[in-house]
Every structure is written in structure tokens, then in C-alpha cells.
Amino acid sequence: MKPGSIAGYSAPQIVLHWLIAALVLFQLIFGESMGVALDAAEEGTPVPASDANLASAHYWIGIAILVLVGFRLALRLTAGAPSPQPSGTPIFDRLAHAVHWLFYALLVAMPVTGLLAYYVSPEIGEVHEIGKPLFILLIAVHVAGALYHQFLLKDGTLRRMLVPRG
């Protein structure tokens, strides 16, 4: 379906957005346990139980994010997406477009590089770790943009990601 040909997001698109956001937040907060567990394994020392559990969760949640992003992209292609609300400032509009596609790229690249670091080469973990500050930066820009639309432009952009189209 052509982007912009619908008025809002569907309920499944909204659920996937917020579910993926929650899972990414979990990864950002608790992901350091994977490094602790891997370092302990490399040094031959015991892994604290909490770190072992969180490292396992990090692994499986990363895979879940990859699968859910696949569903989200498939839904975007089949169900469409509403046109972005113009901000009135072309550079902001281009920035918003870039941020959304960078999110998709990171949402795929992070699990893939994590798996490659785990199964192929630990050096890839350095590439994987670059994603954390990038995610934090993108989230900050995304939230600032949403709040700008909500409270300064008052154009209903945030509502589209909270209330499914009718």
C-alpha cells in the first residue's frame, strides 16, 4: 500500500510500535549484563545469577525485536502508513524522515550484530555496542519531535500513535 494513503495507524501497528519501544528500553537499561556474563565466561569466573538471567533475556528479547520489526515492516508495506504531519520547517521534516528510517535500520542491525558477535566474532560486539548511544540519541530526537508536534504545533501527530484509525 502506498505510504500516505491512510489517515492513521492500525491497532496492530500501534501495538507493535509500543511493544518494540518497551523491549528496546529494556535492552538499553539491562543490556550491560550480557557484557558481564560474556566477560565472566571468558575469564572462567562464575556469572552472577542476576546477570546470567538478564543476559539470557537480552539475547531472546533481541531476537524478539528482530522478528517484531519484520512484522512491523510487513504491516507497513501491506497496511500503509499515514503521511507525516509537516512541521512547517523543511529541515525538521527531513530530520523526522531520517530518524524513522534510522530506527528501522538500528532495529535490524542491533540484533544481527549481537548475534554475529555471539556466534561469529566477539569483535563484532564493538559494532553492536555503538548502537546504544545511537538509540539513545534517536529516542531523544524522536520524543522531542513528538512533543513539538503535540504541544507546539498541536497537530494530532501523537494521537495517531495512540488511537487506531477507525
Side-chain angles (χ1 to χ4, degrees), residues 20-34:
I20 291 167
L23 293 174
V24 166
L25 186 61
F26 177 91
Q27 296 292 66
L28 292 173
I29 294 170
F30 298 109
E32 299 301 319
S33 291
M34 179 60 89

Side-chain angles (χ1 to χ4, degrees), residues 12 15 36 44 47 56 68 87-88 106 113 115 127 129 155 161:
V15 168
V36 171
V47 180
S56 179
L68 292 171
S87 69
L106 269 179
T113 58
L115 289 168
V127 175
E129 289 176 12
D155 61 10
M161 196 43 77

Side-chain angles (χ1 to χ4, degrees), residues 33-53 55:
S33 291
M34 179 60 89
V36 171
L38 292 173
D39 289 345
E42 188 176 291
E43 295 165 3
T45 59
V47 180
S50 61
D51 286 319
N53 289 333

Side-chain angles (χ1 to χ4, degrees), residues 60-85:
W60 290 108
I61 289 172
I63 291 171
I65 289 170
L66 186 59
V67 170
L68 292 171
V69 168
F71 286 138
R72 183 151 182 215
L73 287 169
L75 254 176
R76 185 180 180 93
L77 291 172
T78 58
S83 294
Q85 293 280 32

Side-chain angles (χ1 to χ4, degrees), residues 37-162:
L38 292 173
D39 289 345
E42 188 176 291
E43 295 165 3
T45 59
V47 180
S50 61
D51 286 319
N53 289 333
L54 288 171
S56 179
H58 184 78
Y59 176 91
W60 290 108
I61 289 172
I63 291 171
I65 289 170
L66 186 59
V67 170
L68 292 171
V69 168
F71 286 138
R72 183 151 182 215
L73 287 169
L75 254 176
R76 185 180 180 93
L77 291 172
T78 58
S83 294
Q85 293 280 32
S87 69
T89 307
I91 194 158
F92 284 176
D93 296 340
R94 286 192 294 277
L95 178 63
H97 182 77
V99 165
H100 281 95
W101 288 105
L102 284 170
F103 265 126
Y104 282 119
L106 269 179
L107 288 166
V108 171
M110 288 297 287
V112 169
T113 58
L115 289 168
L116 289 172
Y118 190 81
Y119 289 110
V120 177
S121 172
E123 287 77 30
I124 298 172
E126 294 174 23
V127 175
H128 180 74
E129 289 176 12
I130 292 169
K132 184 174 184 175
L134 290 176
F135 255 124
I136 293 168
L137 176 63
L138 286 178
I139 290 166
V141 170
H142 188 63
V143 168
L147 295 175
Y148 174 75
H149 277 274
Q150 180 66 24
F151 296 110
L152 293 174
L153 298 180
K154 299 179 182 179
D155 61 10
T157 296
L158 186 58
R159 180 174 168 71
R160 294 191 314 182
M161 196 43 77
L162 296 171

